[in-house]
Amino acid sequence: LSLSRDGMDQAAAEVMAGGTADRDWIGLWAVEDVEGIPGGMRFIVMSGGFLEHWGFAYSETGGRPAIMDGEDSYSHLDGNWWIWTDGY
């Protein structure tokens, strides 16, 4: 996280401000998908796996990010960042 933190913070600010979510990398993480969510953003890391994808979510308030479907799961990482698991 510490090596990618600046890039992750920048991507979160850009996406939440309405900027493009179309990107291949955030910090040192290759990403599969990026999306804005209410009060934040989240992205799937490409190496997340076949049936269960994981990535990171940013919450503007620092609280648990928005649940967008019944499969979302979040674990607090640091500051406003959370680990996001999206099981299919």
Side-chain angles (χ1 to χ4, degrees):
L1 175 67
S2 62
L3 294 175
S4 295
R5 184 67 175 260
D6 289 342
M8 291 169 66
D9 288 342
Q10 180 179 353
E14 290 172 4
V15 170
M16 291 187 317
T20 182
D22 184 24
R23 55 190 78 222
D24 295 326
W25 292 87
I26 295 179
L28 298 174
W29 299 102
V31 299
E32 183 177 313
D33 189 38
V34 180
E35 65 180 335
I37 58 174
M41 64 84 76
R42 61 190 188 181
F43 64 96
I44 294 173
V45 175
M46 289 187 85
S47 62
F50 177 66
L51 293 176
E52 185 176 86
H53 294 114
W54 70 273
F56 299 96
Y58 180 88
S59 169
E60 193 169 33
T61 65
R64 185 172 303 279
I67 301 284
M68 301 303 290
D69 65 48
E71 302 298 321
D72 291 337
S73 174
Y74 297 102
S75 299
H76 188 247
L77 183 59
D78 182 58
N80 295 44
W81 285 102
W82 295 72
I83 294 175
W84 166 45
T85 305
D86 181 22
Y88 289 101

